[in-house]
Amino acid sequence: MAPISTRIGGTWLMNELGIHSILSSSRDSKLLCLQRFVRLFAYGASTLILALYLASIDVSDAKIGLFMSLTLWGDVVISFLLTLFADGLGRRRTLMMGAALMTASGLVFTTSSNYWVLVAASILGVISPSGNEIGPFKAIEESTLSQLSPASIRSDIFAWYTLLGNAGTACGIIICGWLVQWLQSLKGWTPTRSYRVMFGIYAFLGLIKLGLSVMLSEKCEPEPEKQEYNQVTELNDIEIESLLSSDEYDEAAESRSKRESKPLPPTPSKKRSIWPSISVASRGILIKLCILFAFDSFASGLAPASFITYFFATKFSLPEGTIGTLFFITSIIAALSNLVASSISKRIGLLKTMVFTHLPSAIFLALIPLPSHAFPAMSFLVLRACTQNMDQAPRQAFLAAAVLPTERTAVMGVVNVVKTLSQSGGPVLTGWLAGTKRFWVAFLLAGALKAGYDLAMLKMFLGYRSREETEADGREQMRTREGAA
């Protein structure tokens, strides 16, 4: 039997890393995390070869940049429409539609070399030029996970959700890199042909994701509006009673007790509208966050993963297998860092974790193009990965806590649309800079913009308390007064 200290230490470690939280989560939560792994595996594989594939069919650097921007613009439209109406149409149904579009895009890339046909497939379907999230999936999954997870473990669930996504990207990149390099070593295999095999695998993974979406239960659909009404009514009682004197408080508490003992009058049933509603308070937070996220996302668009792989392939003549191994290492480091971020956020808060972990990665991003040899540049890329994604889980938890539960899908959808729209302007500029032999400027500008975003985020939201924190404070105050009475 293990010593007590060992068991206590193991329990502490499992709590710190959120292992208990993910193991005790619902079946639907586990399925959503598995979906993200499969999807990001496909994105990682396609990201490694996307720019190289376009170059192999004689597409110029400027047109490669235009392709990536058009892809992101198309994603804005598709994601906005699907996430805006996801709660009305059904979250599971929307995820299935997105998986079908992902499969269709892979099939087109497997069979066609026409530039504009590929553009159309990437706009109407789902192709990730950056290796990161694209399409309607992320907003719907995050909203559903927020609904399925209690606030006390939500940060842990999002950390594992992000970690599995990064792990999927890592596995997709390294397997794609070495598989492509092996195929090209076979007699008669051209680079273009080997790249198309990977897009065929991409389409197959879309079918797997479709199957996982079918397995989700009814619990993933939006909660009835009645629950939110009761929560808001209870919060209003708490806020009002906190302002009363002792005698007035006793009368108010007695009145509330009588009201709660009576059944609520029946409310006329009405057909659920597909149009979402966002409260005035949530709109104010949403506008501020969208402005800040726009700067960060434009910076991400200046240095997407597809262009970073293209940069290392063209400047240092690295083969696909070596690049795949490099990005596998950075993705694994980024994945593991999410667990550290969850532990840090429990101590210093979500906002400070977001800022203090993201700022170093911005600095290392700006340093990547400066060395004239591959090893220092690769070292800066690895150092960037150490904190690159540590802000993601805290940011998701921060946004989920700032708005009402029934608003989350629409709000996260709007945020993702704003981020994608802002990101879409970056590749055009980077493609032009690459074509004029000034690729390095894109990295410097991206690092500077990301650092500015971090500082602005800290200034605007330092000391901010979310709806859930305010509600918890109100309930604690009510319990204190009831104990004193």
Side-chain angles (χ1 to χ4, degrees):
M1 188 173 185
I4 295 178
S5 59
T6 302
R7 294 201 302 268
I8 293 176
T11 302
W12 174 84
L13 183 61
M14 292 185 71
N15 286 330
E16 286 297 311
L17 298 181
I19 297 175
H20 276 312
S21 299
I22 190 66
L23 291 178
S24 62
S25 64
S26 65
R27 174 179 175 271
D28 288 323
S29 296
K30 295 182 179 71
L31 282 174
L32 289 170
C33 290
L34 181 58
Q35 282 194 47
R36 180 171 165 85
F37 176 87
V38 172
R39 183 172 68 255
L40 269 294
F41 184 101
Y43 288 173
S46 64
T47 295
L48 179 67
I49 61 171
L50 181 58
L52 297 174
Y53 173 64
L54 294 174
S56 73
I57 57 176
D58 300 323
V59 177
S60 66
D61 289 349
K63 291 183 74 174
I64 292 175
L66 177 62
F67 174 92
M68 294 183 184
S69 291
L70 291 175
T71 298
L72 294 170
W73 288 333
D75 176 62
V76 167
V77 177
I78 298 296
S79 296
F80 182 74
L81 291 176
L82 289 180
T83 55
L84 190 64
F85 304 128
D87 285 356
L89 297 174
R91 292 174 180 172
R92 292 173 296 171
R93 186 180 302 170
T94 306
L95 290 174
M96 293 176 203
M97 292 169 59
L101 291 174
M102 180 178 169
T103 300
S105 298
L107 292 175
V108 172
F109 273 73
T110 303
T111 57
S112 178
S113 297
N114 184 281
Y115 176 78
W116 293 110
V117 171
L118 297 177
V119 168
S122 65
I123 290 176
L124 299 176
V126 180
I127 290 287
S128 174
S130 62
N132 296 323
E133 285 288 7
I134 195 169
F137 310 111
K138 187 169 183 281
I140 298 172
E141 290 173 353
E142 287 177 352
S143 177
T144 306
L145 284 173
S146 298
Q147 175 179 308
L148 297 172
S149 307
S152 59
I153 66 168
R154 190 175 295 148
S155 180
D156 291 337
I157 299 299
F158 277 131
W160 278 95
Y161 174 78
T162 305
L163 181 149
L164 289 172
N166 290 337
T169 301
C171 294
I173 286 176
I174 193 169
I175 291 175
C176 174
W178 288 106
L179 180 57
V180 164
Q181 189 167 321
W182 175 72
L183 289 174
Q184 292 179 14
S185 68
L186 300 178
K187 185 177 180 180
W189 279 78
T190 62
T192 303
R193 185 181 177 188
S194 66
Y195 299 148
R196 285 178 175 168
V197 170
M198 299 312 305
F199 284 114
I201 295 175
Y202 182 94
F204 176 72
L205 291 171
L207 291 176
I208 293 178
K209 190 195 177 310
L210 178 61
L212 292 173
S213 299
V214 173
M215 295 170 63
L216 293 172
S217 73
E218 183 71 25
K219 295 178 181 178
C220 294
E221 301 300 343
E223 295 176 327
E225 293 183 5
K226 178 182 175 181
Q227 285 191 349
E228 182 183 329
Y229 171 80
N230 290 338
Q231 291 171 358
V232 173
T233 302
E234 181 180 358
L235 181 57
N236 287 339
D237 287 339
I238 293 169
E239 292 173 342
I240 293 171
E241 290 172 8
S242 65
L243 301 177
L244 302 178
S245 64
S246 298
D247 293 338
E248 292 171 328
Y249 172 83
D250 292 338
E251 293 177 4
E254 182 180 354
S255 174
R256 179 163 60 88
S257 177
K258 292 179 179 179
R259 186 176 69 245
E260 290 174 350
S261 64
K262 296 180 181 180
L264 290 174
T267 55
S269 60
K270 60 179 180 179
K271 189 176 180 180
R272 180 192 295 172
S273 172
I274 65 172
W275 294 96
S277 59
I278 300 177
S279 63
V280 176
S282 296
R283 286 179 211 161
I285 298 296
L286 179 61
I287 292 172
K288 292 179 182 179
L289 289 174
C290 284
I291 293 172
L292 291 172
F293 290 162
F295 281 97
D296 181 53
S297 298
F298 177 75
S300 297
L302 291 171
S306 293
F307 261 136
I308 296 178
T309 60
Y310 189 56
F311 170 79
F312 277 96
T314 55
K315 181 174 181 177
F316 302 115
S317 301
L318 298 179
E320 288 89 350
T322 302
I323 297 175
T325 302
L326 172 63
F327 277 82
F328 171 80
I329 294 172
T330 57
S331 296
I332 289 296
I333 292 173
L336 295 177
S337 69
N338 282 287
L339 297 181
V340 181
S342 177
S343 180
I344 294 174
S345 66
K346 294 173 184 176
R347 290 168 170 76
I348 67 174
L350 297 174
L351 180 64
K352 291 181 180 178
T353 304
M354 291 163 56
V355 174
F356 296 150
T357 60
H358 191 253
L359 186 57
S361 70
I363 297 172
F364 289 125
L365 174 63
L367 296 176
I368 289 174
L370 300 185
S372 56
H373 298 284
F375 181 76
M378 294 165 68
S379 299
F380 285 135
L381 185 65
V382 171
L383 288 172
R384 180 204 178 204
C386 292
T387 60
Q388 175 185 357
N389 291 333
M390 288 179 71
D391 70 311
Q392 290 188 9
R395 181 172 59 196
Q396 291 158 349
F398 179 86
L399 182 58
V403 299
L404 294 172
T406 55
E407 299 171 343
R408 285 172 182 153
T409 301
V411 166
M412 291 178 178
V414 170
V415 167
N416 286 338
V417 165
V418 170
K419 290 170 64 177
T420 304
L421 185 61
S422 304
Q423 187 178 351
S424 65
V428 171
L429 179 57
T430 301
W432 175 77
L433 290 171
T436 56
K437 310 301 180 184
R438 289 178 288 183
F439 212 153
W440 59 274
V441 176
F443 290 87
L444 292 178
L445 183 57
L449 287 173
K450 283 181 171 292
Y453 152 79
D454 290 324
L455 297 177
M457 190 80 181
L458 184 64
K459 180 177 177 60
M460 291 181 66
F461 287 98
L462 186 62
Y464 169 78
R465 297 189 66 77
S466 68
R467 288 177 184 265
E468 290 184 343
E469 290 172 325
T470 303
E471 181 178 351
D473 290 344
R475 285 179 173 150
E476 181 63 28
Q477 186 177 10
M478 184 183 69
R479 284 194 294 267
T480 302
R481 298 199 63 168
E482 286 177 344

